[in-house]
Amino acid sequence: MFKKILIANRGEIACRVIKSARKMGIKTVAVYSDADEAALHVEMADEAVHLGPPPAAQSYLMADKIIEACKKTGAEAVHPGYGFLSERESFAKALDEAGIAFIGPPAKAIAAMGDKIESKKIANEAGVSTVPGYIGEIADADEALKIADDIGFPVMIKASAGGGGKGMRIAHSAKEVKENFDSARNEAIASFGDGRIFIEKFVVEPRHIEIQLIGDQHGNIVYLNERECSIQRRHQKVVEEAPSPFVDPEMRKAMGEQSVALAKAVGYFSAGTVEFVVGADKSFYFLEMNTRLQVEHPVTELITGIDLVENMIRVAYGEKLPFTQDDVGINGWAIENRVYAEDPYRGFLPAIGRLVKYITPEEGNGVRVDTGVVEGSEISMFYDPMIAKLCTWAPTRIEAIDMQVGALNDYYVRGCGNNIDFVNAVMQHERFRDGRLTTAFIAEEYPEGFQGHPLSDDLLHKFIAVAGVCDAIENARRGRISGQLNGQMAAYDAERVVKVNGNDHAVSVAGQGDHWTVTIDGKEMTVEDVWRPGDVRFKGKINGEPITIEIDPMAVGYGMSANGTQLSLVVMPPRIAELSQHMLEKEAPDTSKMLLCPMPGLVVRIDVAEGQEVEAGEALAVVEAMKMENILRAERKAKVSKILAGPGDSLAVDEVIMEFE
C-alpha cells in the first residue's frame, strides 16, 4: 500500500481524504495557497506545501507545482478530491509521466467523459438513454437561438467542460437565449478555461438522480445504488439523499446497468458518478459522467457501509474490489445538507467573512459532519462557498429528515451569512417530506425568495417563553453582582412585555434555578433550562419537549432562531414598554436612486453609460462572486447620472456602483 499520498485540494474534501488515509496508516501531504495557510486541512495533514497566491489559477490549478510537491515530500500518489484538477486529463497524464499514481480513473476515461458533447456520443453508442439536443459545439448566440427553436423551448444552455452549476442557464425564450449564452460561456471560460457551449431539451418537472460507481483495474465495476439530488439552486445541489424516494428496484437496476455499461465502454476504474435527468413517467436520460468523487458521496457511504475514499486508494494501488454487485445493499436512509456561506434572506447572495463563532452538531448516533473549517477560519471570495456537509442516517426517510432538523438547530455559525435556516425549512416542507421533488422545487416553493420558515403559534410561544426566562436569569445575575442577591439564586417573579413583529405579549416569569413557569397572554408553560448568560444556544425543555434555540443578545432583548425561523424579541418591564411607544423611529436612508453591490465581488463589466436612460429589467452591470456571474438589472425606468465603479473593481456589500436621477 502507498506510504504517503498528497491531496491536491482544500477544504472539507481534503480533510475527508486525510481521515480515510489516516485510518489506513497512510501519511498525507496537504497543499495550500496564501489564503489557506491556517486552514484545517493544512493542520490535519502530516506535511504541507505552499503553492502560491489565493486565486486557484495561481495555486490549486498549478499541476507542475503539485508534482514538484510530490517529489519534494516523497508522495507516491495524488488524490484530487473534486473540482480543481480532478477531471483534467492533462494532470492525470503528467502524474503518470512523473511516476506518481493518480487516485482516480485513467486519463482516457477522463477525456471521454469530461467533454459533455463527446460523452453523449459515447453514451448513445453504449445504449444509454440521452436527452434530445444538439450534440456539437455552438459558435455564437445566433446559432444557439436557431438550435433552440429547432429543439423547442425550454432549453438548457450548458458548458461542455462544465460542472457544479457553472456555465449553465435555462432559457424559456429567444430573448433569454441571447442574454444567457454569453454569460454561460464567460462563466465556463473563467471556471474551466473552455468556452464551448451546447444545448439540450430541458425536461419539464425533472428530477436529478445519479448512480454511484466504483471499479477496479481488473475489470470489475459495481453500482452502489442511487442518490436523489433534485433540490438545487442555480443548478447547484443543496440537498442530497440516498436512496431516492422515487426509484423502485426495477428502475434502480436499469439505471445501474446502463451506468456500468457506459463505464466499461471507456475502460473506467475508481469512483465515478453517472448523472441522469428523470421524468415524472420514470423515463431517465443521461446528463453526464463525473469522473471523480462527488460532493454528496457520504450519503452513499452511510447506506452501504462502503468507504469510497478508501476504495479509491486501494484501486489506485492495484487491488481488486473486496465486494461484488450482489454484496451491495441498502441499509436505512441518509440525507445530506450543504451548509453554504450565502444569505438566503438576500437572494442567496455569497456571504464571505471570518467564522467568529462556529459550533457543529455532535457527531455520532446517525449524525456526520464533513467540514474543512474551524472557529476563526476565513470564508474566502476565491473559492466555493461551502462551509460543511451535514449528514444524518436513520432507518427511515422521515426519521433521517427529523434528525436533520435537530442537527441543524444545533449548528451555530456567526461571522458570515449561511443557509442553515433555509435547509432547515426545506426539511420541514410538506412537499419535501412527501418526496414530491423536482429540480424546480426551490423556484416553485420560494418564488418570492426565502423569508424564513412559517412561524407557528407553538414556536412563537416557545420563543417568548425562552426570552422571558433568559431575561429573568440575566436580571438575577445582575442582582448577585450588585449585591442585591446573595449566594444561590432566590425565587424570581416578574412581569414583562415581549414585543414581537409589532405585537405586545404580556408575560409573567416565576421560578428558581433551572425550573420556570412562564405565562404568556394567560397561557401557562413550563421551562427547564441549562442556559447561562453568554451561551449562544438555549438547550432545554418546554412543556417536557426538548428544544434548541440560537440566542443572540440585543440591547433590550434577544435575536432567536430555530426550525428555520428567525425572530427579534424585545423584553421590557411593562412601564418601560408603555413609555417606549412614544419613541420616534429612525428612518432608513433612501437608496432608491442608487445601484448597490448586493454581495462582495468583482465588477466584470458595466453595461450602461452616464446620461443613458434605462428601462425596468435592463442589465446595468455584471458582478462576479465565487466564480458565478450575477447580472444586476434596473428595478425601474431611470436615467444614469453617475457611475462610481468600473471593470476590475473589488466591491463590498452595499457599495454604490452607480446613481440615477
Side-chain angles (χ1 to χ4, degrees):
M1 180 47 64
F2 302 120
K3 291 182 174 59
K4 184 185 292 186
I5 65 172
L6 181 145
I7 299 100
N9 217 298
R10 62 177 300 280
E12 67 86 15
I13 190 58
C15 297
R16 164 71 188 91
V17 175
I18 290 170
K19 287 178 181 178
S20 279
R22 182 183 292 166
K23 182 178 68 175
M24 299 171 69
I26 300 171
K27 291 189 177 298
T28 55
V29 179
V31 291
Y32 64 94
S33 70
D34 291 343
D36 284 336
E37 184 176 3
L40 181 60
H41 75 281
V42 175
E43 179 183 331
M44 286 180 63
D46 296 293
E47 299 175 60
V49 178
H50 176 251
L51 293 177
Q58 300 174 49
S59 53
Y60 294 104
L61 291 174
M62 299 289 287
D64 56 340
K65 288 190 175 182
I66 289 171
I67 291 173
E68 181 183 335
C70 288
K71 293 178 178 178
K72 177 182 177 181
T73 60
E76 306 159 78
V78 171
H79 196 301
Y82 51 74
F84 293 142
L85 296 170
S86 62
E87 294 180 286
R88 292 278 182 93
E89 174 197 13
S90 58
F91 182 55
K93 283 184 174 179
L95 287 172
D96 184 59
E97 291 170 1
I100 301 166
F102 180 63
I103 303 175
K108 64 178 183 178
I110 296 175
M113 292 293 101
D115 187 314
K116 290 182 173 58
I117 295 171
E118 290 303 313
S119 67
K120 287 184 182 297
K121 294 178 180 178
I122 295 171
N124 274 326
E125 294 171 0
V128 180
S129 302
T130 56
V131 180
Y134 179 79
I135 302 178
E137 186 177 349
I138 300 170
D140 52 35
D142 290 334
E143 185 182 359
L145 180 56
K146 183 178 183 302
I147 292 168
D149 283 334
D150 292 340
I151 295 172
F153 291 101
V155 297
M156 177 75 83
I157 301 169
K158 299 179 72 173
S160 180
K166 308 295 191 302
M168 296 175 64
R169 296 287 192 279
I170 298 172
H172 295 85
S173 65
K175 180 183 178 183
E176 290 185 3
V177 170
K178 288 192 172 182
E179 283 185 351
N180 290 323
F181 183 85
D182 288 337
S183 284
R185 183 160 59 184
N186 290 341
E187 277 186 11
I189 292 171
S191 297
F192 313 109
D194 186 341
R196 291 176 300 155
I197 296 294
F198 71 99
I199 292 179
E200 64 187 14
K201 179 71 175 176
F202 181 72
V203 179
V204 179
E205 295 188 11
R207 287 176 177 258
H208 187 119
I209 298 175
E210 59 193 30
I211 299 291
Q212 175 69 60
L213 300 176
I214 185 76
D216 61 29
Q217 299 185 52
H218 305 276
N220 303 304
I221 301 177
V222 173
Y223 65 88
L224 305 180
N225 307 310
E226 80 284 348
R227 296 185 289 256
E228 172 104 30
C229 309
S230 296
I231 307 298
Q232 304 180 2
R233 188 186 59 75
R234 291 188 67 177
H235 316 297
Q236 178 73 58
K237 301 165 188 172
V238 179
V239 181
E240 299 103 349
E241 60 182 300
S244 164
F246 188 68
V247 174
D248 56 41
E250 292 75 22
M251 185 179 178
R252 178 176 299 118
K253 185 173 186 292
M255 295 177 75
E257 289 179 349
Q258 284 196 20
S259 300
V260 169
L262 177 61
K264 287 185 175 180
V266 294
Y268 199 88
F269 57 79
S270 192
T273 300
V274 180
E275 303 195 350
F276 294 91
V277 59
V278 178
D281 60 354
K282 296 200 173 183
S283 59
F284 56 89
Y285 306 100
F286 170 75
L287 282 176
E288 62 182 338
M289 182 176 187
N290 289 307
T291 55
R292 54 171 169 79
L293 192 66
Q294 291 278 90
V295 175
E296 57 272 21
H297 75 273
V299 291
T300 295
E301 294 183 327
L302 288 170
I303 67 164
T304 62
I306 294 170
D307 185 324
L308 282 165
V309 173
E310 177 180 341
N311 278 278
M312 289 180 75
I313 295 171
R314 293 190 181 283
V315 164
Y317 191 70
E319 294 184 10
K320 289 184 177 181
L321 291 178
F323 50 83
T324 67
Q325 190 66 60
D326 291 339
D327 298 321
V328 178
I330 298 177
N331 177 28
W333 216 285
I335 308 281
E336 174 180 293
N337 277 301
R338 300 189 187 189
V339 179
Y340 281 125
E342 60 186 14
D343 189 346
Y345 295 96
R346 297 187 62 186
F348 298 94
L349 294 174
I352 63 176
R354 186 175 297 279
L355 297 175
V356 296
K357 198 73 177 177
Y358 185 67
I359 304 172
T360 63
E362 185 176 349
E363 291 196 73
N365 297 318
V367 176
R368 169 174 167 175
V369 182
D370 284 18
T371 187
V373 296
V374 293
E375 195 166 290
S377 293
E378 187 82 21
I379 305 299
S380 168
M381 67 178 289
F382 296 103
Y383 311 116
D384 187 272
M386 186 186 295
I387 296 173
K389 300 181 307 197
L390 175 62
C391 304
T392 53
W393 176 93
T396 68
R397 184 172 186 266
I398 290 299
E399 288 175 301
I401 293 171
D402 288 341
M403 286 184 66
Q404 276 285 343
V405 174
L408 288 164
N409 282 339
D410 277 343
Y411 221 127
Y412 188 89
V413 179
R414 292 296 183 273
C416 65
N418 62 79
N419 69 334
I420 290 174
D421 280 353
F422 175 69
V423 291
N424 202 331
V426 170
M427 294 297 100
Q428 299 171 76
H429 199 291
E430 182 180 356
R431 180 176 161 189
F432 177 79
R433 295 174 75 86
D434 288 345
R436 295 180 284 114
L437 314 179
T438 74
T439 54
F441 177 93
I442 292 176
E444 291 171 355
E445 300 302 325
Y446 303 95
E448 304 301 321
F450 179 70
Q451 301 302 323
H453 188 62
L455 177 64
S456 66
D457 288 341
D458 178 64
L459 185 58
L460 171 61
H461 283 94
K462 288 177 178 177
F463 277 142
I464 294 172
V466 170
V469 169
C470 290
D471 178 74
I473 292 171
E474 291 202 293
N475 278 329
R477 177 175 179 268
R478 284 191 286 267
R480 289 196 298 274
I481 292 173
S482 66
Q484 296 177 30
L485 294 175
N486 297 315
Q488 295 296 316
M489 181 175 173
Y492 182 93
D493 194 345
E495 302 292 325
R496 289 291 183 267
V497 172
V498 177
K499 294 177 175 288
V500 186
N501 292 335
N503 298 314
D504 289 0
H505 299 270
V507 179
S508 65
V509 182
Q512 185 174 6
D514 297 337
H515 293 78
W516 303 86
T517 298
V518 183
T519 304
I520 304 168
D521 299 329
K523 180 181 178 180
E524 188 174 290
M525 306 175 74
T526 60
V527 179
E528 301 172 56
D529 77 274
V530 290
W531 187 83
R532 295 294 178 269
D535 289 350
V536 297
R537 292 178 299 187
F538 171 95
K539 293 176 71 74
K541 292 182 179 181
I542 298 179
N543 292 339
E545 295 181 3
I547 189 168
T548 299
I549 297 176
E550 293 184 0
I551 297 179
D552 292 297
M554 303 189 307
V556 283
Y558 308 92
M560 294 190 174
S561 176
N563 293 3
T565 301
Q566 289 187 4
L567 277 184
S568 294
L569 301 95
V570 177
V571 186
M572 294 180 287
R575 179 57 178 162
I576 295 177
E578 181 183 347
L579 294 174
S580 70
Q581 297 176 9
H582 303 290
M583 297 290 290
L584 297 176
E585 291 188 11
K586 183 178 180 180
E587 292 185 5
D590 182 12
T591 59
S592 62
K593 294 185 177 182
M594 302 175 185
L595 176 66
L596 305 179
C597 189
M599 77 214 82
L602 191 72
V603 178
V604 176
R605 67 172 189 267
I606 300 293
D607 292 328
V608 295
E610 290 184 357
Q612 180 178 335
E613 292 190 353
V614 296
E615 299 291 332
E618 187 171 342
L620 302 174
V622 176
V623 176
E624 180 185 290
M626 292 177 172
K627 303 180 184 178
M628 298 292 284
E629 286 195 353
N630 300 272
I631 302 174
L632 308 184
R633 301 182 183 277
E635 294 183 356
R636 57 181 175 80
K637 184 176 180 179
K639 185 176 181 179
V640 180
S641 62
K642 190 181 296 184
I643 296 177
L644 303 173
D649 288 349
S650 181
L651 303 181
V653 176
D654 291 337
E655 195 164 342
V656 181
I657 298 175
M658 62 184 70
E659 296 177 353
F660 307 100
E661 292 183 3

